[in-house]
Amino acid sequence: MGGYAVLKGMSYTLAITPDMVLHNGTTQTTERVVNPDSEYLKELPGHIRSYEDALAYLPNQVYIGNKTPEDLEATEFPWYDKKCEGKRKGKYGEIMPQDEFLGLMQICDVFDLVKLETSFADEVRRKLAAHALIGEEKAAILDKNEETVEDIKILVEEEHAEPLYHNGVLVGAVKRAHDVDVNLSAHVMLENLVTKASSVLSLLHLLETSGIDADEVEYVIDCCEEACGDMNQRGGGNFAKAAAEAAGLMNATGSDARGFCAGPAHALLSAASLIKAGTFRTVVVTAGGCTAKLGMNGKDHVKKGMPILEDAIAGFSILLTADDGESPQIRTDIVGRHTVGTGASPQAVIGALVTEPLDRAGLKITDVDRYSPEMQNPDITKPAGAGDVPEANYKMIAALGVKRGEIERKEIPEFVKKHGMCGWAPTQGHIPSGVPYLGFAREAIMEGRIKRAMIIGKGSLFLGRMTNLFDGISFLVEKNDGSSTSDTGINEAEVKALIGEAMRRFADGLLSE
C-alpha cells in the first residue's frame, strides 16, 4: 500500500438565487399549498437580498476565501446587518449571480430540458463567454434558444414544466424528462440540474486553484444530498460522472456516495482510502447544492425583520492525491465512527467521533489544534431557535475533556475559543459538515500555524424513514511527516530517474550486441 492521501486543493462556490428562494425552496412551496394567502408569503419578497448585498455578506466572503474565520470572529454578531468588501472572485472560488447560473444550468443540460427566453439567453451568453472558466465554446450552446416568453408560458402552463425566474420575470423553464415517471418530473430535473451545475462550477474552480491538469483526475466521488435516476432505480446516480464530463475531466470515472449531512466526510475517507490502497493516485470529492433548503428558515427570519440569508446554492470540490511529501495528510488510521450501537445522545456521539479515535492514537483533545464539525452559520440558525451549532459542538468536546481530566472546567471558554471557530457555511445540509474548513486548514498546516485538525461529519439517517439511527464519521488532517520518502530515502522523481537510467543501459547493451 502507498502512503497517506494528501489534501492537495479545494474550491468553494456560491450561486445567489433569490428567485429560487421564492419558487423552489420547500418552506415556500409547502406554504403555497397549505396556506396560499399567508402573511409570510406576502411579506417574503420584501426580505429578499440583492446580489450586491449577498456579495457584501461576510460569511459568504469567508466561504470563498477572501475573509477568514478570524475575521468573522472579530466582527460583532449578528453579521447580516453589516457589510464588507464584496468581491465576486475569491482564492477558493466565486459567487455567481443568478442569471449566469441559469445559463450554466443550460450548459450542463445534455437532454435539451432547459429552455431560456431568447433575449435573456443572449445576454447571459455574452456574460458566460467572458467568464474565464467557461468561455465562448461552452457558452455557445445558449445560442440555440428560440423561445419567446409566450412559448415559455405554454411549457409551464400546459406541459408541466418548472418555471425559471430572474428579478421576478419568467425567463425560462425546465421541462419534464418523462410523461409519467415522477423521478423525471420537471421539479426533480430542475433540482438535479441545479446540483450538477453547482458541482461543475466548483470543479472548474478546483482545476484553477489547484493547478492540476484535468486529465490527471482518475476518480470523482459526488456526495451531495440529491439522487438521480428513473422509476426503475430512483437513486442510481451518477452525478459524479455527469459533472466530471461537463467539467472536462475526460480521464475520470466515478460514483456517488450518500450519507445525508455526513456524506462529505464519508466520501473523503473513501477517496483517501482508495489512494492509500494504490487504486487511484488522484481523486476528487465534489458536491453541488440543493434548491430545497433555500429559505428553509425564512419564516423566522421574516418574523424578526431580517433578510432571507439562505439564498445561495453552494458547492465545493476537494482534491486528494498520493502523498507528495509536503501537503497535509489524511490519517485514515485515526477515524471516529458513530456505529449502530453508539446511541443518539450528544455525549455518546461526540465520544464516538472525537475521544475514541484520539484514545486509539494516544492523543488528547488538546492535541487537535482545530475541530471542524457542523460549521453552520449562526446568523441563520440562532434566529430560528437552533442556537449556535458549532459552539454547541465545541462545548460538548470541552465537557468531555473536563470529564477526562484533560482540561479544567474553568478552561472551557478558552478551549472553545482556541480550538473552535465561528460557523460561516450556508445551511445546505451536507455543505457545512466539516469540509468548509479544509481550505483554511491546509493553509494553516502548510504555514506551520497548526499541526492537526479534525473534520467531523454528522448526519440524520432517520430523514429517510428507514431507521431512527443518527450517523457520523470523523478523521484527522495532519502536517505531512515525510513518510512517503522516509522508508527509502528517495522520492518519486529519483525513482523515475533510476528506472530511466536502467532502461538506457539495457538499450545500450542491446545495441552493442
Side-chain angles (χ1 to χ4, degrees):
M1 294 194 299
Y4 295 115
V6 296
L7 189 61
K8 194 72 172 179
M10 62 291 302
S11 66
Y12 300 97
T13 58
L14 298 172
I16 306 302
T17 55
D19 285 273
M20 287 186 180
V21 172
L22 298 172
H23 299 283
N24 305 110
T26 54
T27 295
Q28 289 66 245
T29 57
T30 301
E31 186 75 357
R32 282 196 186 87
V33 173
V34 175
N35 189 11
D37 297 320
S38 75
E39 287 302 311
Y40 168 62
L41 291 177
K42 294 174 184 176
E43 293 181 36
L44 180 61
H47 293 259
I48 296 296
R49 292 190 296 189
S50 67
Y51 172 68
E52 289 71 26
D53 284 344
L55 264 190
Y57 184 51
L58 183 55
N60 286 351
Q61 289 296 319
V62 175
Y63 190 76
I64 64 171
N66 282 331
K67 298 291 184 178
T68 67
E70 290 75 21
D71 293 327
L72 201 57
E73 187 175 347
T75 304
E76 184 183 4
F77 186 85
W79 305 311
Y80 70 84
D81 58 353
K82 301 169 183 68
K83 292 186 178 182
C84 68
E85 184 181 4
K87 296 181 180 179
R88 170 170 176 164
K89 183 76 183 293
K91 63 183 173 184
Y92 297 141
E94 72 169 292
I95 302 176
M96 178 175 272
Q98 180 174 256
D99 57 345
E100 293 181 38
F101 186 68
L102 295 178
L104 182 60
M105 285 174 58
Q106 185 167 69
I107 290 172
C108 292
D109 168 32
V110 297
F111 281 88
D112 200 30
L113 300 174
V114 178
K115 300 293 183 182
L116 300 176
E117 188 272 324
T118 308
S119 61
F120 174 79
D122 187 54
E123 182 180 348
V124 172
R125 181 195 59 76
R126 289 196 297 271
K127 292 180 179 180
L128 292 178
H131 192 292
L133 303 182
I134 297 174
E136 289 277 2
E137 185 176 348
K138 286 187 175 71
I141 194 170
L142 274 74
D143 284 330
K144 71 178 183 179
N145 293 283
E146 298 178 349
E147 282 73 22
T148 65
V149 174
E150 290 304 314
D151 294 329
I152 301 296
K153 284 182 179 178
I154 291 172
L155 288 175
V156 172
E157 294 170 4
E158 299 180 16
E159 299 185 29
H160 306 283
E162 194 77 14
L164 297 173
Y165 296 90
H166 183 59
N167 294 333
V169 177
L170 182 67
V171 295
V174 176
K175 296 167 55 180
R176 57 184 176 178
H178 195 277
D179 291 343
V180 297
D181 187 346
V182 294
N183 305 287
L184 297 174
S185 67
H187 170 82
V188 173
M189 296 315 301
L190 182 145
E191 287 186 337
N192 287 352
L193 283 167
V194 165
T195 296
K196 178 183 175 182
S198 47
S199 174
V200 168
L201 183 62
S202 73
L203 285 171
L204 293 173
H205 276 280
L206 180 67
L207 296 176
E208 180 189 44
T209 59
S210 68
I212 193 170
D213 188 284
D215 287 339
E216 290 184 53
V217 179
E218 298 171 295
Y219 202 80
V220 177
I221 302 176
D222 181 278
C223 57
C224 74
E225 288 191 319
E226 304 292 5
C228 58
D230 65 15
M231 67 176 78
N232 295 309
Q233 10 67 10
R234 284 180 292 181
N238 182 312
F239 275 110
K241 207 160 185 178
E245 175 192 27
L249 308 181
M250 306 310 291
N251 197 39
T253 187
S255 61
D256 296 349
R258 295 291 177 266
F260 289 96
C261 296
H266 282 290
L268 283 162
L269 271 177
S270 296
S273 299
L274 286 169
I275 292 170
K276 182 79 165 65
T279 309
F280 301 110
R281 288 187 58 81
T282 305
V283 181
V284 170
V285 172
T286 187
C290 52
T291 58
K293 292 188 172 76
L294 291 170
M296 186 168 57
N297 294 288
K299 289 184 179 181
D300 293 296
H301 295 167
V302 168
K303 192 182 301 180
K304 291 176 171 60
M306 296 170 54
I308 297 295
L309 300 176
E310 296 162 304
D311 56 1
I313 295 291
F316 68 81
S317 294
I318 310 296
L319 173 65
L320 302 184
T321 70
D323 199 342
D324 61 1
E326 297 178 355
S327 300
Q329 296 171 321
I330 308 293
R331 289 294 301 268
T332 43
D333 59 334
I334 308 178
V335 173
R337 301 177 302 134
H338 182 282
T339 66
V340 171
T342 296
S345 73
Q347 183 173 329
V349 172
I350 294 296
L353 298 180
V354 177
T355 57
E356 287 182 18
L358 293 180
D359 283 342
R360 292 195 300 271
L363 298 170
K364 298 179 180 180
I365 63 166
T366 50
D367 291 328
V368 176
D369 298 294
R370 291 284 187 174
Y371 290 91
S372 180
E374 305 153 289
M375 300 310 298
Q376 302 270 12
N377 177 358
D379 233 4
I380 296 172
T381 58
K382 289 183 77 171
D388 187 326
V389 179
E391 184 180 62
N393 279 280
Y394 296 132
K395 286 182 176 179
M396 179 57 67
I397 294 171
L400 287 180
V402 172
K403 185 176 180 181
R404 292 156 57 89
E406 295 177 6
I407 65 172
E408 299 289 335
R409 182 174 297 276
K410 64 182 180 181
E411 296 177 301
I412 288 179
E414 181 60 27
F415 177 91
V416 172
K417 184 176 181 180
K418 182 178 179 182
H419 298 270
M421 296 166 284
C422 296
W424 64 88
T427 48
Q428 291 257 295
H430 56 299
I431 297 293
S433 198
V435 292
Y437 180 57
L438 284 173
F440 297 113
R442 185 178 192 276
E443 282 187 22
I445 292 173
M446 295 288 284
E447 293 171 4
R449 289 184 279 117
I450 68 171
K451 180 182 178 182
R452 188 179 288 120
M454 177 175 276
I455 307 302
I456 304 169
K458 294 196 287 183
S460 308
L461 298 186
F462 47 82
L463 296 172
R465 305 316 194 260
M466 292 290 106
T467 175
N468 281 312
L469 288 175
F470 195 73
D471 187 38
I473 199 159
S474 65
F475 58 89
L476 283 183
V477 180
E478 284 192 342
K479 176 180 173 61
N480 199 300
D481 62 4
S483 59
S484 64
T485 60
S486 60
D487 291 340
T488 62
I490 57 177
N491 59 31
E492 184 179 347
E494 290 171 329
V495 170
K496 290 181 178 179
L498 288 171
I499 293 173
E501 179 62 24
M503 294 298 291
R504 282 192 294 273
R505 289 177 181 175
F506 178 70
D508 290 343
L510 289 177
L511 291 173
S512 63
E513 293 176 2

Short mmCIF file of all heavy atoms in Angstrom, two decimals, residues 314-359:
data_model
loop_
_atom_site.label_atom_id
_atom_site.label_comp_id
_atom_site.label_asym_id
_atom_site.label_seq_id
_atom_site.Cartn_x
_atom_site.Cartn_y
_atom_site.Cartn_z
N ALA A 314 -24.77 26.39 -2.82
CA ALA A 314 -23.33 26.22 -2.56
C ALA A 314 -22.79 24.99 -3.28
O ALA A 314 -23.53 24.10 -3.68
CB ALA A 314 -23.09 26.09 -1.05
N GLY A 315 -21.47 24.98 -3.43
CA GLY A 315 -20.78 23.83 -3.99
C GLY A 315 -19.35 23.80 -3.47
O GLY A 315 -18.83 24.80 -2.99
N PHE A 316 -18.75 22.63 -3.53
CA PHE A 316 -17.33 22.52 -3.18
C PHE A 316 -16.72 21.33 -3.92
O PHE A 316 -17.42 20.40 -4.34
CB PHE A 316 -17.12 22.35 -1.66
CG PHE A 316 -17.62 21.04 -1.10
CD1 PHE A 316 -16.87 19.87 -1.20
CD2 PHE A 316 -18.85 20.97 -0.47
CE1 PHE A 316 -17.33 18.67 -0.69
CE2 PHE A 316 -19.33 19.78 0.04
CZ PHE A 316 -18.56 18.62 -0.07
N SER A 317 -15.40 21.38 -4.07
CA SER A 317 -14.64 20.25 -4.63
C SER A 317 -13.32 20.16 -3.89
O SER A 317 -12.65 21.18 -3.66
CB SER A 317 -14.39 20.44 -6.13
OG SER A 317 -15.60 20.39 -6.87
N ILE A 318 -12.94 18.94 -3.50
CA ILE A 318 -11.71 18.70 -2.74
C ILE A 318 -10.83 17.73 -3.53
O ILE A 318 -11.29 16.67 -3.95
CB ILE A 318 -12.02 18.10 -1.36
CG1 ILE A 318 -13.09 18.92 -0.63
CG2 ILE A 318 -10.75 17.98 -0.53
CD1 ILE A 318 -12.70 20.33 -0.29
N LEU A 319 -9.57 18.11 -3.72
CA LEU A 319 -8.61 17.29 -4.47
C LEU A 319 -7.70 16.54 -3.51
O LEU A 319 -7.01 17.14 -2.69
CB LEU A 319 -7.77 18.18 -5.39
CG LEU A 319 -6.61 17.50 -6.13
CD1 LEU A 319 -7.13 16.45 -7.12
CD2 LEU A 319 -5.77 18.55 -6.87
N LEU A 320 -7.72 15.21 -3.60
CA LEU A 320 -6.80 14.36 -2.84
C LEU A 320 -5.87 13.66 -3.82
O LEU A 320 -6.31 13.20 -4.89
CB LEU A 320 -7.57 13.32 -2.03
CG LEU A 320 -8.61 13.81 -1.01
CD1 LEU A 320 -9.18 12.64 -0.23
CD2 LEU A 320 -8.00 14.82 -0.06
N THR A 321 -4.61 13.55 -3.46
CA THR A 321 -3.64 12.86 -4.31
C THR A 321 -2.78 11.93 -3.46
O THR A 321 -2.81 11.98 -2.23
CB THR A 321 -2.71 13.84 -5.05
OG1 THR A 321 -1.82 14.46 -4.10
CG2 THR A 321 -3.50 14.91 -5.78
N ALA A 322 -1.97 11.12 -4.12
CA ALA A 322 -0.97 10.32 -3.43
C ALA A 322 0.01 11.26 -2.73
O ALA A 322 0.19 12.42 -3.13
CB ALA A 322 -0.23 9.43 -4.42
N ASP A 323 0.63 10.78 -1.68
CA ASP A 323 1.49 11.61 -0.83
C ASP A 323 2.60 12.27 -1.63
O ASP A 323 3.35 11.61 -2.35
CB ASP A 323 2.11 10.73 0.27
CG ASP A 323 2.62 11.54 1.44
OD1 ASP A 323 2.81 12.76 1.28
OD2 ASP A 323 2.82 10.95 2.51
N ASP A 324 2.68 13.60 -1.52
CA ASP A 324 3.72 14.36 -2.22
C ASP A 324 4.85 14.78 -1.29
O ASP A 324 5.76 15.50 -1.69
CB ASP A 324 3.12 15.59 -2.89
CG ASP A 324 2.47 16.55 -1.88
OD1 ASP A 324 2.50 16.26 -0.66
OD2 ASP A 324 1.93 17.59 -2.31
N GLY A 325 4.77 14.35 -0.02
CA GLY A 325 5.80 14.69 0.94
C GLY A 325 5.68 16.07 1.53
O GLY A 325 6.48 16.45 2.40
N GLU A 326 4.67 16.83 1.12
CA GLU A 326 4.52 18.21 1.59
C GLU A 326 3.12 18.54 2.10
O GLU A 326 2.97 19.14 3.16
CB GLU A 326 4.87 19.19 0.46
CG GLU A 326 6.31 19.11 -0.03
CD GLU A 326 6.57 20.08 -1.17
OE1 GLU A 326 5.60 20.73 -1.63
OE2 GLU A 326 7.73 20.19 -1.59
N SER A 327 2.11 18.16 1.35
CA SER A 327 0.74 18.54 1.68
C SER A 327 0.23 17.79 2.90
O SER A 327 0.71 16.69 3.21
CB SER A 327 -0.18 18.27 0.48
OG SER A 327 0.24 19.01 -0.65
N PRO A 328 -0.75 18.36 3.62
CA PRO A 328 -1.31 17.69 4.80
C PRO A 328 -1.86 16.32 4.48
O PRO A 328 -2.50 16.10 3.45
CB PRO A 328 -2.42 18.65 5.24
CG PRO A 328 -2.01 19.98 4.71
CD PRO A 328 -1.34 19.71 3.40
N GLN A 329 -1.62 15.39 5.39
CA GLN A 329 -2.04 14.00 5.18
C GLN A 329 -3.42 13.74 5.80
O GLN A 329 -3.76 14.30 6.84
CB GLN A 329 -1.03 13.06 5.83
CG GLN A 329 0.36 13.11 5.20
CD GLN A 329 1.39 12.33 5.99
OE1 GLN A 329 1.38 12.33 7.21
NE2 GLN A 329 2.29 11.66 5.29
N ILE A 330 -4.19 12.88 5.14
CA ILE A 330 -5.46 12.40 5.69
C ILE A 330 -5.16 11.12 6.45
O ILE A 330 -4.82 10.09 5.85
CB ILE A 330 -6.49 12.12 4.58
CG1 ILE A 330 -6.64 13.32 3.64
CG2 ILE A 330 -7.83 11.71 5.19
CD1 ILE A 330 -7.24 14.53 4.25
N ARG A 331 -5.28 11.16 7.77
CA ARG A 331 -4.93 10.00 8.58
C ARG A 331 -6.09 9.01 8.61
O ARG A 331 -6.96 9.06 9.48
CB ARG A 331 -4.56 10.46 9.99
CG ARG A 331 -3.23 11.21 10.07
CD ARG A 331 -2.04 10.31 9.74
NE ARG A 331 -1.95 9.18 10.62
CZ ARG A 331 -1.25 9.16 11.75
NH1 ARG A 331 -0.57 10.24 12.12
NH2 ARG A 331 -1.22 8.07 12.51
N THR A 332 -6.08 8.11 7.67
CA THR A 332 -7.15 7.11 7.58
C THR A 332 -7.05 6.06 8.68
O THR A 332 -7.94 5.20 8.79
CB THR A 332 -7.11 6.42 6.21
OG1 THR A 332 -5.76 6.11 5.85
CG2 THR A 332 -7.69 7.32 5.14
N ASP A 333 -6.00 6.13 9.51
CA ASP A 333 -5.89 5.21 10.64
C ASP A 333 -6.40 5.84 11.94
O ASP A 333 -6.42 5.18 12.98
CB ASP A 333 -4.44 4.75 10.81
CG ASP A 333 -3.48 5.92 11.04
OD1 ASP A 333 -3.80 7.04 10.59
OD2 ASP A 333 -2.41 5.71 11.64
N ILE A 334 -6.80 7.10 11.88
CA ILE A 334 -7.37 7.77 13.06
C ILE A 334 -8.75 8.28 12.69
O ILE A 334 -8.94 9.42 12.27
CB ILE A 334 -6.46 8.91 13.55
CG1 ILE A 334 -5.02 8.43 13.75
CG2 ILE A 334 -7.01 9.50 14.85
CD1 ILE A 334 -4.06 9.51 14.18
N VAL A 335 -9.73 7.39 12.81
CA VAL A 335 -11.08 7.65 12.32
C VAL A 335 -12.10 7.43 13.43
O VAL A 335 -12.05 6.41 14.13
CB VAL A 335 -11.41 6.73 11.12
CG1 VAL A 335 -12.86 6.86 10.69
CG2 VAL A 335 -10.48 7.04 9.95
N GLY A 336 -13.01 8.38 13.58
CA GLY A 336 -14.12 8.21 14.52
C GLY A 336 -15.35 7.70 13.80
O GLY A 336 -15.61 8.09 12.67
N ARG A 337 -16.10 6.81 14.46
CA ARG A 337 -17.27 6.20 13.82
C ARG A 337 -18.46 6.20 14.76
O ARG A 337 -18.35 5.75 15.89
CB ARG A 337 -16.97 4.76 13.42
CG ARG A 337 -15.82 4.56 12.46
CD ARG A 337 -15.59 3.07 12.21
NE ARG A 337 -15.33 2.35 13.45
CZ ARG A 337 -15.91 1.19 13.79
NH1 ARG A 337 -16.81 0.64 13.00
NH2 ARG A 337 -15.61 0.60 14.94
N HIS A 338 -19.59 6.69 14.28
CA HIS A 338 -20.84 6.51 15.00
C HIS A 338 -21.41 5.18 14.54
O HIS A 338 -21.93 5.07 13.43
CB HIS A 338 -21.82 7.65 14.70
CG HIS A 338 -23.10 7.53 15.46
ND1 HIS A 338 -24.10 6.66 15.09
CD2 HIS A 338 -23.55 8.17 16.58
CE1 HIS A 338 -25.12 6.76 15.94
NE2 HIS A 338 -24.80 7.68 16.86
N THR A 339 -21.27 4.16 15.37
CA THR A 339 -21.70 2.82 14.98
C THR A 339 -23.19 2.63 15.27
O THR A 339 -23.84 3.47 15.90
CB THR A 339 -20.90 1.76 15.74
OG1 THR A 339 -21.21 1.84 17.14
CG2 THR A 339 -19.40 1.96 15.55
N VAL A 340 -23.71 1.50 14.85
CA VAL A 340 -25.12 1.18 15.08
C VAL A 340 -25.43 1.20 16.58
O VAL A 340 -26.51 1.63 16.99
CB VAL A 340 -25.47 -0.19 14.47
CG1 VAL A 340 -26.86 -0.65 14.89
CG2 VAL A 340 -25.36 -0.13 12.95
N GLY A 341 -24.47 0.77 17.39
CA GLY A 341 -24.72 0.69 18.82
C GLY A 341 -24.31 1.91 19.62
O GLY A 341 -24.43 1.90 20.85
N THR A 342 -23.89 2.98 18.97
CA THR A 342 -23.39 4.15 19.70
C THR A 342 -24.45 4.84 20.53
O THR A 342 -24.21 5.28 21.64
CB THR A 342 -22.76 5.17 18.72
OG1 THR A 342 -21.61 4.58 18.10
CG2 THR A 342 -22.34 6.43 19.45
N GLY A 343 -25.63 5.00 19.97
CA GLY A 343 -26.67 5.77 20.65
C GLY A 343 -26.74 7.18 20.09
O GLY A 343 -25.87 7.61 19.32
N ALA A 344 -27.76 7.94 20.48
CA ALA A 344 -28.02 9.25 19.88
C ALA A 344 -27.78 10.42 20.82
O ALA A 344 -27.94 11.57 20.41
CB ALA A 344 -29.45 9.30 19.35
N SER A 345 -27.38 10.17 22.07
CA SER A 345 -27.14 11.28 22.98
C SER A 345 -25.93 12.09 22.50
O SER A 345 -24.99 11.52 21.95
CB SER A 345 -26.89 10.78 24.40
OG SER A 345 -25.61 10.18 24.50
N PRO A 346 -25.95 13.42 22.69
CA PRO A 346 -24.82 14.23 22.25
C PRO A 346 -23.49 13.75 22.80
O PRO A 346 -22.48 13.75 22.09
CB PRO A 346 -25.18 15.63 22.77
CG PRO A 346 -26.68 15.63 22.85
CD PRO A 346 -27.04 14.24 23.25
N GLN A 347 -23.48 13.32 24.05
CA GLN A 347 -22.23 12.86 24.65
C GLN A 347 -21.74 11.59 23.97
O GLN A 347 -20.54 11.44 23.71
CB GLN A 347 -22.44 12.60 26.15
CG GLN A 347 -21.15 12.18 26.86
CD GLN A 347 -21.33 12.09 28.37
OE1 GLN A 347 -22.11 12.82 28.95
NE2 GLN A 347 -20.60 11.19 29.01
N ALA A 348 -22.67 10.67 23.67
CA ALA A 348 -22.28 9.43 23.01
C ALA A 348 -21.75 9.70 21.61
O ALA A 348 -20.76 9.09 21.18
CB ALA A 348 -23.47 8.47 22.96
N VAL A 349 -22.40 10.63 20.90
CA VAL A 349 -21.99 10.95 19.53
C VAL A 349 -20.59 11.57 19.52
O VAL A 349 -19.70 11.13 18.78
CB VAL A 349 -23.01 11.91 18.87
CG1 VAL A 349 -22.47 12.40 17.53
CG2 VAL A 349 -24.35 11.22 18.69
N ILE A 350 -20.37 12.58 20.36
CA ILE A 350 -19.06 13.24 20.39
C ILE A 350 -17.98 12.28 20.89
O ILE A 350 -16.84 12.29 20.41
CB ILE A 350 -19.12 14.51 21.26
CG1 ILE A 350 -20.04 15.55 20.62
CG2 ILE A 350 -17.73 15.10 21.47
CD1 ILE A 350 -19.56 16.06 19.28
N GLY A 351 -18.34 11.44 21.84
CA GLY A 351 -17.37 10.45 22.32
C GLY A 351 -16.91 9.53 21.21
O GLY A 351 -15.71 9.26 21.05
N ALA A 352 -17.86 9.04 20.41
CA ALA A 352 -17.53 8.12 19.32
C ALA A 352 -16.72 8.81 18.23
O ALA A 352 -15.81 8.20 17.64
CB ALA A 352 -18.81 7.53 18.73
N LEU A 353 -17.04 10.07 17.97
CA LEU A 353 -16.40 10.76 16.85
C LEU A 353 -15.10 11.46 17.23
O LEU A 353 -14.25 11.70 16.36
CB LEU A 353 -17.37 11.78 16.25
CG LEU A 353 -18.67 11.23 15.67
CD1 LEU A 353 -19.53 12.35 15.11
CD2 LEU A 353 -18.38 10.19 14.59
N VAL A 354 -14.94 11.82 18.49
CA VAL A 354 -13.77 12.60 18.89
C VAL A 354 -12.84 11.85 19.82
O VAL A 354 -11.68 11.58 19.50
CB VAL A 354 -14.22 13.94 19.55
CG1 VAL A 354 -12.99 14.72 20.04
CG2 VAL A 354 -15.01 14.78 18.55
N THR A 355 -13.34 11.50 21.00
CA THR A 355 -12.42 10.95 22.01
C THR A 355 -11.98 9.52 21.71
O THR A 355 -10.82 9.16 21.98
CB THR A 355 -13.05 11.02 23.41
OG1 THR A 355 -14.30 10.31 23.42
CG2 THR A 355 -13.28 12.46 23.81
N GLU A 356 -12.85 8.69 21.16
CA GLU A 356 -12.47 7.31 20.89
C GLU A 356 -11.32 7.21 19.88
O GLU A 356 -10.33 6.50 20.13
CB GLU A 356 -13.68 6.49 20.43
CG GLU A 356 -14.65 6.18 21.57
CD GLU A 356 -15.81 5.33 21.12
OE1 GLU A 356 -15.71 4.70 20.04
OE2 GLU A 356 -16.82 5.27 21.84
N PRO A 357 -11.38 7.89 18.73
CA PRO A 357 -10.24 7.80 17.81
C PRO A 357 -8.97 8.43 18.39
O PRO A 357 -7.86 7.93 18.12
CB PRO A 357 -10.72 8.55 16.57
CG PRO A 357 -11.84 9.42 17.03
CD PRO A 357 -12.49 8.66 18.15
N LEU A 358 -9.11 9.50 19.17
CA LEU A 358 -7.93 10.10 19.78
C LEU A 358 -7.29 9.16 20.80
O LEU A 358 -6.06 9.07 20.89
CB LEU A 358 -8.30 11.43 20.44
CG LEU A 358 -8.74 12.56 19.50
CD1 LEU A 358 -9.06 13.83 20.29
CD2 LEU A 358 -7.67 12.86 18.44
N ASP A 359 -8.12 8.45 21.55
CA ASP A 359 -7.59 7.47 22.50
C ASP A 359 -6.77 6.40 21.79
O ASP A 359 -5.69 6.02 22.25
CB ASP A 359 -8.74 6.81 23.28
CG ASP A 359 -9.29 7.71 24.37
OD1 ASP A 359 -8.60 8.68 24.75
OD2 ASP A 359 -10.41 7.45 24.85
#
